Amino acid sequence: MSSLIEDSVSAAFTLRARSIRKSFGGTEVLHGVDVDILGGRVLALLGENGAGKSTFVRVIAGAHAPDSGTLEFQRSDGTAESVAALDPIAARRRGIRMIFQELSDAPDLTVAENISLGNWPSRTGMVTWRGMRRRARRVLANMGVDLDLDAVVGELRIGERQIVEIARALSDQATCLILDEPTAALSAEEVERLFAFVRRLRDQGVALVYITHRLDEVAAIADDVVVLRDGVVSASGPAGEFDRSQLVSAMVGREIGAVTRPPATSNSAGPPMLVFRGASSPRAFQDVNLEVRAGEIVCLYGKVGSGTAEVADAVFGRRRLSVGTMKVLDGAPAKDPRAAIAHGIGYLAADRQREGALMTRTIGENLAAPSWPRLSRGGVISGTRERRAYERWSRALNIRAAAGAGQLLGSLSGGNQQKVLLARWLERGSKVLALVEPTRGVDVGARADIYAALRDMAADGAAILVATSDYEEVVQLADRAIVLARGRVTRELRGDEITTETLTDAAGG
């Protein structure tokens, strides 16, 4: 079996983080965190958005310097060291690699170039392009991934770009690999492929820190568990000692009732609000027939690249049809997003940071953005009206923002950012919603809040189309599920037909 890293791990890796504290702007985020990271084991790091997970792993990766505490390294050859802080170069020298949840690729470079980014194969100071392509081909083959080495990364889908980042991290020598929500945009098949890859690395002695919000992944991949809540360790130990309810309670500090299937609405749903008939779009989807009625949640399910996201894009005017028809709200389809908003259509993109969120603007500005004409006076935006809009929906969606409407959106956790973007369409009064991966990277508590909000919107007469690669989301949310594979509808499921097994089978095409 060929190694998945450039060199085999020569000595066991042990990192003991002790009494790690970290503050930002006078607010302490980590309150004396103790965590052991061991070679040859997978540590699942859990917690709600804002619990301190990302801050902690950034301390380990050298992106943040802790205010106090130590990082203690030890190898099986007896060598040991204790440091107060690392910088990125020092962390890399110790074999620590991290794949951040936010993409950190070079979008204008090719797949092969991105895989060698920061570690160019060279000879006498010159990049060896053959060596670079050979490395990329080997790593992708070991992952079981077929990607065009010459494809420009910025033109790939999110799931494919995430795969390239994983390949880049693992093409380099690594003794400790930190994966931040690595499966958030991957299909079920790609997840299994990644899990097999993680297990092989673990068996080679690599230490793995695996951040996830999907609790089923803990049982599938983790050896140990650490749960953070409000900057402290609320639970830790072998993964086999915790069941799902114990992990949820440790994460949120309260019990969350099991999310059950919604009651069937097919008999009580209103008139069709969104209709596709024989709809096709080049290199995206073909001959799609579907309708979403008022008061109904329909989920489009499929693997990354199946065409589900592109169908949602077409609803919002981001993609044109080449064949067939689409009818929205008894009118002609929107020609572009501006027209879609005017027609009462709302949209959430899978990549909220690049496509929709104004990260350097306030929460109030983000929430009110589609409604500015209504909230302005004489063309001037009213801050008071923005604050009132925020107050209306912050309570309904449980948006956690210490500074209220004036806080920058980029300072919120991922789950709270997603709630703000959902609230903008509630404020707008949108009657048709097209949502792509609405809970990607969102913790269990925020996920429950978002599901409740979507059901409330449906109960008020909205027609909601959700494009997702998360089968649990479909099972918990959908009144009806339409499965796509390679751009074509393979099956429509209703009620008790919507199960993990039927979704997985139908998504296989």
Side-chain angles (χ1 to χ4, degrees):
M1 179 186 298
S2 62
S3 175
L4 298 182
I5 53 179
E6 292 297 303
D7 299 302
S8 61
V9 178
S10 59
F13 178 96
T14 300
L15 168 58
R16 304 186 189 280
R18 292 292 177 263
S19 302
I20 301 298
R21 293 181 177 273
K22 179 62 181 176
S23 298
F24 295 99
T27 301
E28 191 171 71
V29 176
L30 298 178
H31 313 295
V33 171
D34 294 344
V35 175
D36 291 344
I37 302 171
L38 307 177
R41 295 184 73 82
V42 178
L43 171 67
L45 183 59
L46 309 177
E48 289 195 282
N49 292 114
K53 305 185 303 297
S54 293
T55 299
F56 175 72
V57 294
R58 286 171 186 264
V59 167
I60 296 172
H64 292 325
D67 300 328
S68 62
T70 58
L71 300 174
E72 302 170 3
F73 294 88
Q74 186 172 358
R75 293 185 178 274
S76 60
D77 59 7
T79 60
E81 65 173 331
S82 178
V83 298
L86 297 172
D87 58 38
I89 295 176
R92 187 181 184 90
R93 191 180 301 126
R94 289 163 177 79
I96 301 172
R97 305 287 185 273
M98 179 167 178
I99 301 173
F100 294 98
Q101 185 177 351
E102 300 84 7
L103 293 172
S104 58
D105 55 23
D108 295 328
L109 300 184
T110 67
V111 168
E113 290 166 340
N114 266 275
I115 289 174
S116 286
L117 197 64
N119 186 30
W120 302 100
S122 62
R123 184 176 301 167
T124 64
M126 301 292 290
V127 173
T128 58
W129 299 101
R130 286 186 179 179
M132 180 183 67
R133 293 176 63 83
R134 190 162 50 244
R135 172 190 291 173
R137 192 176 296 111
R138 180 179 66 249
V139 174
L140 292 176
N142 285 333
M143 293 178 69
V145 174
D146 183 17
L147 283 178
D148 181 359
L149 299 184
D150 297 317
V152 176
V153 164
E155 297 175 359
L156 301 179
R157 294 191 54 77
I158 280 183
E160 295 170 327
R161 293 174 70 172
Q162 197 166 26
I163 289 169
V164 172
E165 290 218 50
I166 292 170
R168 183 176 78 224
L170 296 173
S171 71
D172 199 3
Q173 185 177 3
T175 52
C176 178
L177 184 64
I178 303 167
L179 303 176
D180 188 1
E181 293 283 343
T183 64
L186 302 185
S187 68
E189 181 180 346
E190 290 165 335
V191 168
E192 286 305 317
R193 189 180 300 149
L194 175 66
F195 283 178
F197 191 60
V198 167
R199 294 184 186 106
R200 291 169 68 185
L201 285 168
R202 176 190 61 192
D203 293 343
Q204 290 181 2
V206 176
L208 295 115
V209 179
Y210 191 96
I211 302 174
T212 183
H213 288 125
R214 297 192 58 169
L215 299 185
D216 59 324
E217 294 183 350
V218 176
I221 199 66
D223 299 301
D224 304 302
V225 171
V226 169
V227 181
L228 292 181
R229 185 173 75 238
D230 297 329
V232 299
V233 175
S234 60
S236 64
E241 294 183 357
F242 298 91
D243 62 24
R244 187 184 184 96
S245 63
Q246 290 171 320
L247 292 175
V248 171
S249 295
M251 289 169 62
V252 303
R254 66 187 190 278
E255 291 188 2
I256 293 181
V259 180
T260 58
R261 281 209 41 74
T265 60
S266 56
N267 294 330
S268 59
M273 304 280 278
L274 171 64
V275 179
F276 280 79
R277 290 287 180 260
S280 298
S281 182
R283 297 182 299 279
F285 55 85
Q286 300 83 42
D287 196 28
V288 169
N289 295 282
L290 69 87
E291 65 178 35
V292 186
R293 295 175 174 272
E296 187 179 39
I297 300 176
V298 174
C299 287
L300 292 176
Y301 174 74
K303 303 173 184 179
V304 174
S306 64
T308 59
E310 288 79 3
V311 172
D313 287 348
V315 176
F316 197 58
R318 299 185 64 192
R319 177 175 289 275
R320 297 291 183 89
L321 300 183
S322 57
V323 178
T325 61
M326 176 180 66
K327 188 177 180 181
V328 181
L329 295 170
D330 292 325
K335 295 181 179 180
D336 54 44
R338 182 191 296 269
I341 293 171
H343 279 75
I345 302 170
Y347 173 83
L348 287 184
D351 189 349
R352 59 179 172 265
Q353 294 194 5
R354 287 179 169 86
E355 301 180 82
L358 307 173
M359 303 299 287
T360 60
R361 309 297 294 185
T362 68
I363 297 171
E365 289 172 316
N366 271 273
L367 190 154
S371 305
W372 276 339
R374 177 172 55 81
L375 298 177
S376 64
R377 291 180 176 176
V380 178
I381 304 300
S382 169
T384 299
R385 294 187 179 186
E386 282 186 349
R387 286 192 297 273
R388 288 174 181 168
Y390 166 77
E391 290 166 2
R392 271 193 292 276
W393 304 114
S394 62
R395 290 187 294 271
L397 293 177
N398 192 26
I399 298 172
R400 299 180 184 180
Q407 187 169 337
L408 293 182
L409 184 70
S411 68
L412 296 183
S413 65
N416 282 299
Q417 290 175 11
Q418 198 75 332
K419 290 178 185 179
V420 171
L421 298 184
L422 183 59
R424 64 167 47 159
W425 303 116
L426 289 166
E427 175 65 22
R428 175 71 184 179
S430 301
K431 288 302 181 182
V432 173
L433 283 181
L435 314 178
V436 183
E437 306 287 358
T439 59
R440 186 175 77 87
V442 172
D443 64 64
V444 63
R447 188 177 280 230
D449 291 337
I450 290 172
Y451 289 168
L454 292 177
R455 289 183 183 168
D456 286 345
M457 294 179 74
D460 289 338
I464 301 175
L465 181 69
V466 177
T468 180
S469 58
D470 185 341
Y471 54 80
E472 283 193 347
E473 187 154 84
V474 180
V475 171
Q476 295 172 357
L477 192 60
D479 296 310
R480 287 188 296 116
I482 296 173
V483 184
L484 272 74
R486 294 184 289 277
R488 293 185 178 274
V489 174
T490 62
R491 193 167 178 186
E492 180 172 338
L493 304 170
R494 299 171 182 268
D496 292 339
E497 294 178 327
I498 304 175
T499 66
T500 298
E501 291 75 18
T502 55
L503 289 168
T504 301
D505 179 66

